[in-house]
Amino acid sequence: MPELPEVEVTRRGLLPHLEGSRIAGVAVRHRGLRWPVPEELEACLPGRLIRRVERRGKYLLLECVREGHATAGGVAAGVGGGEDAGWLLIHLGMTGTLRVWHEPPAPGTHDHVDLLLHDAAGRPLTLRFRDPRRFGAVLWTTLPEALLSSHPLLRNLGIEPFDSAFDGDWLYRHTRGRTAAIKTVLLSGDIVVGVGNIYCSESLFRAGIRPTTAAGRLSRARCERLAAAVRETLALAIERGGSTLRDFVGSDGASGYFQLDCLVYDRAGKPCRHCATPVRQIVQGQRSTFYCPQCQR
Protein backbone atom coordinates (compact mmCIF):
# COMPACT_ATOMS: atom_id res chain seq x y z
CA MET A 1 0.00 0.00 0.00
CA PRO A 2 1.41 3.45 -0.88
CA GLU A 3 2.32 5.24 2.35
CA LEU A 4 3.38 8.82 3.05
CA PRO A 5 6.75 8.61 1.23
CA GLU A 6 5.13 7.17 -1.90
CA VAL A 7 2.38 9.80 -1.84
CA GLU A 8 4.92 12.58 -1.30
CA VAL A 9 7.05 11.26 -4.17
CA THR A 10 3.93 11.31 -6.34
CA ARG A 11 3.08 14.86 -5.24
CA ARG A 12 6.55 16.15 -6.05
CA GLY A 13 6.44 14.47 -9.44
CA LEU A 14 3.08 16.04 -10.24
CA LEU A 15 3.97 19.58 -9.12
CA PRO A 16 5.79 20.85 -12.22
CA HIS A 17 3.08 19.47 -14.51
CA LEU A 18 -0.11 20.27 -12.64
CA GLU A 19 0.38 23.61 -10.91
CA GLY A 20 -0.94 26.28 -13.25
CA SER A 21 -2.62 23.78 -15.57
CA ARG A 22 -6.26 24.10 -16.57
CA ILE A 23 -8.78 21.28 -16.59
CA ALA A 24 -10.35 20.82 -20.01
CA GLY A 25 -12.38 17.71 -19.22
CA VAL A 26 -12.86 14.65 -17.04
CA ALA A 27 -13.29 11.05 -18.17
CA VAL A 28 -14.67 8.65 -15.54
CA ARG A 29 -14.74 5.01 -16.65
CA HIS A 30 -15.47 3.36 -13.32
CA ARG A 31 -17.08 5.10 -10.36
CA GLY A 32 -16.90 2.09 -8.04
CA LEU A 33 -13.79 2.93 -6.05
CA ARG A 34 -13.61 2.80 -2.25
CA TRP A 35 -16.18 5.59 -2.30
CA PRO A 36 -18.08 6.33 -5.53
CA VAL A 37 -16.48 8.93 -7.78
CA PRO A 38 -18.84 11.95 -7.50
CA GLU A 39 -21.31 12.39 -10.35
CA GLU A 40 -20.65 16.13 -10.45
CA LEU A 41 -16.95 15.91 -11.37
CA GLU A 42 -17.51 16.04 -15.12
CA ALA A 43 -19.63 19.18 -14.73
CA CYS A 44 -17.79 21.13 -12.02
CA LEU A 45 -14.10 20.60 -12.89
CA PRO A 46 -13.73 21.74 -16.54
CA GLY A 47 -12.45 25.29 -16.78
CA ARG A 48 -10.86 25.27 -13.34
CA LEU A 49 -7.20 26.06 -12.73
CA ILE A 50 -5.13 23.71 -10.55
CA ARG A 51 -3.48 26.22 -8.27
CA ARG A 52 -1.77 23.92 -5.75
CA VAL A 53 -0.89 20.26 -5.21
CA GLU A 54 -0.72 19.52 -1.48
CA ARG A 55 -0.62 16.42 0.73
CA ARG A 56 -2.21 15.60 4.08
CA GLY A 57 -1.18 12.22 5.40
CA LYS A 58 -1.76 9.84 2.49
CA TYR A 59 -4.24 12.14 0.73
CA LEU A 60 -3.28 14.26 -2.25
CA LEU A 61 -5.14 17.57 -2.34
CA LEU A 62 -5.49 19.47 -5.61
CA GLU A 63 -6.83 22.98 -5.15
CA CYS A 64 -8.99 23.78 -8.17
CA VAL A 65 -10.28 27.32 -8.70
CA ARG A 66 -12.60 28.96 -11.19
CA GLU A 67 -11.20 32.46 -11.37
CA GLY A 68 -13.47 35.45 -11.48
CA HIS A 69 -16.60 33.43 -10.70
CA ALA A 70 -18.93 35.30 -8.37
CA THR A 71 -22.05 34.18 -6.60
CA ALA A 72 -25.43 35.81 -7.14
CA GLY A 73 -24.64 38.17 -4.30
CA GLY A 74 -21.45 39.30 -5.99
CA VAL A 75 -19.10 37.53 -3.56
CA ALA A 76 -17.26 34.40 -4.59
CA ALA A 77 -17.66 31.10 -2.80
CA GLY A 78 -14.63 29.47 -1.13
CA VAL A 79 -11.33 31.09 -0.26
CA GLY A 80 -9.90 34.14 -1.93
CA GLY A 81 -12.51 36.68 -3.05
CA GLY A 82 -13.54 36.43 -6.72
CA GLU A 83 -12.93 32.68 -6.93
CA ASP A 84 -15.01 29.53 -6.86
CA ALA A 85 -12.60 27.15 -5.11
CA GLY A 86 -12.67 23.45 -4.28
CA TRP A 87 -10.38 20.53 -3.57
CA LEU A 88 -9.94 17.23 -5.36
CA LEU A 89 -9.04 14.60 -2.72
CA ILE A 90 -7.18 11.59 -4.08
CA HIS A 91 -6.17 8.50 -2.13
CA LEU A 92 -4.09 5.78 -3.80
CA GLY A 93 -5.56 2.97 -1.70
CA MET A 94 -3.57 -0.27 -1.95
CA THR A 95 -2.67 -0.32 -5.64
CA GLY A 96 -3.42 3.15 -7.00
CA THR A 97 -1.06 5.25 -9.10
CA LEU A 98 -1.22 8.67 -10.74
CA ARG A 99 0.63 9.07 -14.02
CA VAL A 100 1.14 12.15 -16.16
CA TRP A 101 1.05 11.61 -19.91
CA HIS A 102 1.63 14.02 -22.80
CA GLU A 103 0.54 11.27 -25.19
CA PRO A 104 -1.44 8.78 -23.11
CA PRO A 105 -1.84 5.18 -24.25
CA ALA A 106 -5.32 3.78 -24.77
CA PRO A 107 -6.95 3.34 -21.35
CA GLY A 108 -6.78 -0.15 -19.85
CA THR A 109 -9.19 -2.06 -17.64
CA HIS A 110 -7.88 -0.48 -14.43
CA ASP A 111 -7.57 3.10 -15.70
CA HIS A 112 -10.60 4.60 -13.96
CA VAL A 113 -10.30 8.40 -14.11
CA ASP A 114 -8.55 10.84 -16.45
CA LEU A 115 -8.16 14.57 -15.95
CA LEU A 116 -7.70 16.15 -19.39
CA LEU A 117 -5.53 19.22 -18.92
CA HIS A 118 -3.67 22.01 -20.64
CA ASP A 119 -0.46 22.80 -18.82
CA ALA A 120 0.81 26.30 -18.06
CA ALA A 121 2.29 26.44 -21.58
CA GLY A 122 -0.99 25.37 -23.17
CA ARG A 123 0.12 21.84 -24.07
CA PRO A 124 -2.35 18.96 -23.65
CA LEU A 125 -1.71 16.70 -20.68
CA THR A 126 -3.50 13.75 -19.10
CA LEU A 127 -3.48 12.86 -15.41
CA ARG A 128 -4.57 9.20 -15.16
CA PHE A 129 -5.68 7.40 -12.01
CA ARG A 130 -5.13 3.66 -12.19
CA ASP A 131 -6.17 1.27 -9.43
CA PRO A 132 -6.44 -2.49 -10.04
CA ARG A 133 -7.99 -3.27 -6.63
CA ARG A 134 -10.19 -0.13 -6.53
CA PHE A 135 -9.52 0.71 -2.85
CA GLY A 136 -8.43 4.22 -3.79
CA ALA A 137 -10.59 7.33 -3.98
CA VAL A 138 -11.19 10.41 -6.13
CA LEU A 139 -13.46 12.82 -4.25
CA TRP A 140 -14.49 16.48 -4.36
CA THR A 141 -15.13 19.02 -1.62
CA THR A 142 -15.86 22.74 -1.67
CA LEU A 143 -14.76 23.25 1.93
CA PRO A 144 -12.60 26.39 2.23
CA GLU A 145 -8.99 25.81 3.20
CA ALA A 146 -9.59 27.04 6.75
CA LEU A 147 -12.12 24.23 7.26
CA LEU A 148 -10.45 21.53 5.20
CA SER A 149 -9.08 19.79 8.28
CA SER A 150 -12.69 19.16 9.39
CA HIS A 151 -13.37 16.93 6.38
CA PRO A 152 -14.44 13.47 7.64
CA LEU A 153 -11.41 11.81 6.01
CA LEU A 154 -8.92 14.32 7.43
CA ARG A 155 -10.19 15.38 10.84
CA ASN A 156 -8.75 12.46 12.83
CA LEU A 157 -5.29 12.52 11.30
CA GLY A 158 -2.29 13.08 13.55
CA ILE A 159 0.47 15.61 13.11
CA GLU A 160 2.68 15.54 10.01
CA PRO A 161 6.08 13.95 10.78
CA PHE A 162 7.98 16.88 9.25
CA ASP A 163 6.00 19.46 11.18
CA SER A 164 8.34 21.36 13.50
CA ALA A 165 5.99 20.57 16.41
CA PHE A 166 6.57 16.83 16.03
CA ASP A 167 9.40 15.91 18.36
CA GLY A 168 10.16 13.68 21.32
CA ASP A 169 8.09 15.81 23.67
CA TRP A 170 5.06 15.54 21.36
CA LEU A 171 5.46 11.77 21.16
CA TYR A 172 5.95 11.47 24.91
CA ARG A 173 2.86 13.52 25.77
CA HIS A 174 0.61 11.73 23.29
CA THR A 175 1.64 8.21 24.30
CA ARG A 176 0.97 8.60 28.04
CA GLY A 177 -1.62 6.09 29.15
CA ARG A 178 -1.41 4.11 25.91
CA THR A 179 -1.02 0.42 26.77
CA ALA A 180 -0.95 -0.82 23.16
CA ALA A 181 2.39 -1.73 21.56
CA ILE A 182 4.28 1.25 20.17
CA LYS A 183 4.19 -0.17 16.65
CA THR A 184 0.41 -0.48 16.80
CA VAL A 185 0.12 3.06 18.12
CA LEU A 186 2.32 4.47 15.36
CA LEU A 187 0.34 2.64 12.69
CA SER A 188 -2.95 4.07 13.96
CA GLY A 189 -2.04 7.51 12.56
CA ASP A 190 -3.82 9.50 15.25
CA ILE A 191 -0.57 10.72 16.85
CA VAL A 192 1.57 11.12 13.74
CA VAL A 193 0.64 10.28 10.15
CA GLY A 194 2.57 8.42 7.52
CA VAL A 195 4.46 5.82 9.54
CA GLY A 196 3.21 2.79 7.60
CA ASN A 197 4.16 -0.82 8.18
CA ILE A 198 7.56 -0.77 6.49
CA TYR A 199 8.51 2.55 8.03
CA CYS A 200 7.36 1.51 11.52
CA SER A 201 9.73 -1.46 11.58
CA GLU A 202 12.57 0.62 10.20
CA SER A 203 12.02 3.59 12.53
CA LEU A 204 11.82 1.39 15.63
CA PHE A 205 15.03 -0.36 14.63
CA ARG A 206 16.85 2.94 14.17
CA ALA A 207 15.60 4.06 17.59
CA GLY A 208 16.57 0.77 19.27
CA ILE A 209 13.03 0.13 20.53
CA ARG A 210 11.33 -3.26 20.48
CA PRO A 211 8.03 -2.99 18.58
CA THR A 212 6.07 -4.81 21.30
CA THR A 213 6.95 -2.24 24.00
CA ALA A 214 3.87 -0.54 25.45
CA ALA A 215 3.74 3.00 24.07
CA GLY A 216 3.05 4.51 27.48
CA ARG A 217 6.22 2.97 28.94
CA LEU A 218 8.58 4.83 26.63
CA SER A 219 10.77 7.35 28.40
CA ARG A 220 11.12 10.90 27.15
CA ALA A 221 14.64 10.10 25.87
CA ARG A 222 13.41 7.07 23.91
CA CYS A 223 10.57 9.15 22.46
CA GLU A 224 13.15 11.70 21.33
CA ARG A 225 15.14 8.98 19.55
CA LEU A 226 11.99 7.57 17.97
CA ALA A 227 10.74 10.92 16.67
CA ALA A 228 14.15 11.56 15.10
CA ALA A 229 14.18 8.04 13.62
CA VAL A 230 10.72 8.52 12.09
CA ARG A 231 11.82 11.71 10.35
CA GLU A 232 15.11 10.16 9.23
CA THR A 233 13.42 7.03 7.87
CA LEU A 234 10.69 8.88 5.99
CA ALA A 235 13.13 11.42 4.56
CA LEU A 236 15.36 8.63 3.27
CA ALA A 237 12.36 6.83 1.78
CA ILE A 238 11.28 9.97 -0.07
CA GLU A 239 14.84 10.49 -1.33
CA ARG A 240 14.86 6.90 -2.65
CA GLY A 241 11.54 7.32 -4.44
CA GLY A 242 9.48 5.37 -1.92
CA SER A 243 9.17 1.59 -1.74
CA THR A 244 8.03 -0.56 -4.64
CA LEU A 245 7.10 -3.97 -3.31
CA ARG A 246 4.48 -4.63 -5.91
CA ASP A 247 2.43 -1.95 -7.69
CA PHE A 248 3.75 1.48 -6.75
CA VAL A 249 5.33 3.71 -9.39
CA GLY A 250 5.78 7.47 -9.33
CA SER A 251 4.07 9.94 -11.65
CA ASP A 252 6.75 9.26 -14.27
CA GLY A 253 6.41 5.47 -14.02
CA ALA A 254 9.64 5.00 -12.05
CA SER A 255 9.82 2.48 -9.22
CA GLY A 256 10.99 3.31 -5.70
CA TYR A 257 14.13 1.79 -4.19
CA PHE A 258 13.87 2.27 -0.42
CA GLN A 259 13.19 -1.46 0.06
CA LEU A 260 16.81 -2.08 -0.96
CA ASP A 261 17.94 0.00 2.04
CA CYS A 262 15.75 -1.71 4.65
CA LEU A 263 17.64 -2.70 7.77
CA VAL A 264 15.06 -5.17 9.15
CA TYR A 265 11.88 -5.12 7.05
CA ASP A 266 11.35 -8.35 5.09
CA ARG A 267 14.71 -9.72 6.36
CA ALA A 268 13.44 -12.46 8.70
CA GLY A 269 16.22 -14.96 9.48
CA LYS A 270 18.88 -12.82 7.84
CA PRO A 271 21.69 -11.31 9.93
CA CYS A 272 21.10 -7.89 11.42
CA ARG A 273 23.13 -5.36 9.46
CA HIS A 274 24.47 -3.98 12.76
CA CYS A 275 25.12 -6.99 14.99
CA ALA A 276 24.57 -10.09 12.79
CA THR A 277 21.83 -11.49 15.08
CA PRO A 278 19.08 -13.10 12.96
CA VAL A 279 16.18 -10.73 12.34
CA ARG A 280 12.87 -11.93 13.78
CA GLN A 281 9.38 -11.67 12.33
CA ILE A 282 6.16 -11.48 14.35
CA VAL A 283 2.58 -10.46 13.56
CA GLN A 284 1.00 -7.40 15.17
CA GLY A 285 -2.51 -6.37 14.22
CA GLN A 286 -2.42 -8.71 11.21
CA ARG A 287 0.70 -6.98 9.89
CA SER A 288 4.22 -8.41 9.77
CA THR A 289 6.75 -6.80 12.08
CA PHE A 290 10.52 -7.26 11.76
CA TYR A 291 13.06 -6.48 14.48
CA CYS A 292 16.47 -7.39 15.87
CA PRO A 293 16.22 -8.97 19.35
CA GLN A 294 19.73 -7.75 20.20
CA CYS A 295 19.60 -4.17 18.97
CA GLN A 296 16.01 -3.51 20.03
CA ARG A 297 15.43 -3.93 23.75
Side-chain angles (χ1 to χ4, degrees):
M1 175 187 293
E3 299 290 350
L4 184 150
E6 291 76 43
V7 178
E8 179 63 17
V9 166
T10 298
R11 187 191 75 83
R12 295 182 185 187
L14 295 177
L15 271 175
H17 301 288
L18 297 193
E19 285 195 342
S21 66
R22 196 169 295 276
I23 303 172
V26 183
V28 180
R29 302 182 191 87
H30 200 305
R31 295 190 186 275
L33 302 181
R34 184 175 182 182
W35 298 282
V37 177
E39 296 281 352
E40 66 264 29
L41 279 193
E42 293 96 320
C44 72
L45 286 185
R48 291 178 183 268
L49 186 76
I50 299 178
R51 184 159 62 183
R52 286 187 289 163
V53 181
E54 304 290 346
R55 178 192 55 74
R56 180 69 175 100
K58 294 190 287 184
Y59 290 90
L60 284 167
L61 307 172
L62 277 58
E63 185 190 25
C64 305
V65 299
R66 198 186 304 279
E67 299 168 300
H69 179 82
T71 64
V75 179
V79 295
E83 295 177 343
D84 172 17
W87 298 83
L88 201 60
L89 275 68
I90 301 175
H91 194 287
L92 300 181
M94 296 184 70
T95 57
T97 57
L98 281 170
R99 292 283 307 276
V100 170
W101 300 91
H102 286 286
E103 297 182 7
T109 303
H110 306 302
D111 297 330
H112 304 310
V113 181
D114 282 358
L115 287 190
L116 311 175
L117 310 167
H118 288 99
D119 67 16
R123 297 168 298 189
L125 192 70
T126 296
L127 177 65
R128 176 165 290 171
F129 179 77
R130 173 183 173 83
D131 188 4
R133 298 191 66 179
R134 301 207 309 269
F135 287 140
V138 179
L139 301 170
W140 174 251
T141 180
T142 55
L143 282 172
E145 184 172 6
L147 298 178
L148 195 56
S149 61
S150 68
H151 189 282
L153 296 177
L154 306 178
R155 63 189 176 203
N156 294 321
L157 296 180
I159 195 171
E160 289 286 330
F162 298 113
D163 190 308
S164 59
F166 175 66
D167 56 13
D169 184 62
W170 174 282
L171 200 53
Y172 182 80
R173 286 186 286 110
H174 287 83
T175 52
R176 296 309 89 191
R178 301 284 286 261
T179 58
I182 183 58
K183 191 202 174 200
T184 303
V185 169
L186 286 178
L187 279 179
S188 70
D190 61 342
I191 292 180
V192 57
V193 297
V195 195
N197 197 45
I198 296 173
Y199 307 112
C200 264
S201 287
E202 292 296 300
S203 297
L204 288 165
F205 176 79
R206 284 175 165 82
I209 297 170
R210 188 159 296 198
T212 54
T213 303
R217 293 186 60 191
L218 292 179
S219 66
R220 196 177 294 271
R222 298 185 97 193
C223 284
E224 190 64 49
R225 292 204 305 272
L226 182 54
V230 165
R231 289 192 297 269
E232 176 189 346
T233 300
L234 295 177
L236 178 59
I238 293 168
E239 180 184 321
R240 296 287 277 158
S243 299
T244 297
L245 301 183
R246 197 171 166 189
D247 300 283
F248 173 73
V249 294
S251 60
D252 59 355
S255 298
Y257 295 98
F258 178 78
Q259 67 275 10
L260 302 180
D261 297 320
C262 286
L263 299 174
V264 288
Y265 184 81
D266 202 26
R267 301 192 72 248
K270 296 179 181 178
C272 170
R273 297 188 191 276
H274 288 184
C275 73
T277 301
V279 171
R280 289 184 186 171
Q281 178 180 4
I282 59 173
V283 176
Q284 292 179 282
Q286 300 181 329
R287 307 296 298 276
S288 290
T289 296
F290 301 86
Y291 71 99
C292 172
Q294 179 65 31
C295 294
Q296 293 171 260
R297 300 278 185 178

